Amino acid sequence: GLTGFSPADANSRTSQKHDTMALQLAEGESILRQNMGSYKGKGFFGTKNGTFYLTNQRLIFATASKGMSFLMGAGSQFIPGSKVEWEIPLGNITGLGYERVALGKWSCVTAGGEKYLCGFMSNDWIHSYIKDAITALGKSVIADGENYKVE
């Protein structure tokens, strides 16, 4: 159908699909940043608007079931009634950068062999926020032009 498909759904090690449920923080997990944005899924109707959450353990994209979120910058809680579209453990991310699609340029997070095309509000998500959170896990993030590979 036209219900937007998360590439990671097929690989539960990369991502877990949730039906509508509250986003839960794991033990020792905290939200570093949250911001509105969009995700370019597969197909013509694949692009969804929602909220990105970066925690010290995961990158999460959720759509709000009702109302919009205007919370910007550093946040400390999930928006009630949100539905998790996908989540990626930071340790699974192998690349950060950009991907050209049609007329636009999307931020790209690579994990589990899949590319997640993300419309972040700011390039700081790639160049600073996510990169720094991965570095904090003890991984090396190596610049390669305007992209990064994670080792």
Side-chain angles (χ1 to χ4, degrees), residues 23-25 29-35 51-55 69 71-80:
L23 290 140
Q24 301 287 333
L25 289 175
E29 186 175 19
S30 59
I31 298 175
L32 305 174
R33 197 155 288 269
Q34 66 191 67
N35 225 159
T51 303
F52 289 101
Y53 298 94
L54 177 64
T55 77
S69 143
L71 297 168
M72 307 294 277
S76 60
Q77 62 183 32
F78 293 122
I79 295 154

Side-chain angles (χ1 to χ4, degrees), residues 36-88:
M36 285 167 39
S38 54
Y39 164 68
K40 184 166 178 46
K42 304 267 191 286
F44 187 74
F45 295 103
T47 302
K48 295 185 175 183
N49 294 321
T51 303
F52 289 101
Y53 298 94
L54 177 64
T55 77
N56 56 342
Q57 298 176 19
R58 296 179 287 166
L59 176 65
I60 302 161
F61 180 68
T63 51
S65 57
K66 39 175 143 7
M68 278 298 286
S69 143
F70 291 101
L71 297 168
M72 307 294 277
S76 60
Q77 62 183 32
F78 293 122
I79 295 154
S82 295
K83 175 174 178 274
V84 175
E85 297 290 331
W86 49 259
E87 59 182 4
I88 307 169

Side-chain angles (χ1 to χ4, degrees), residues 9-26:
D9 291 344
N11 179 355
S12 60
R13 283 172 310 143
T14 303
S15 156
Q16 296 165 326
K17 185 155 177 72
H18 301 285
D19 291 319
T20 307
M21 63 170 276
L23 290 140
Q24 301 287 333
L25 289 175

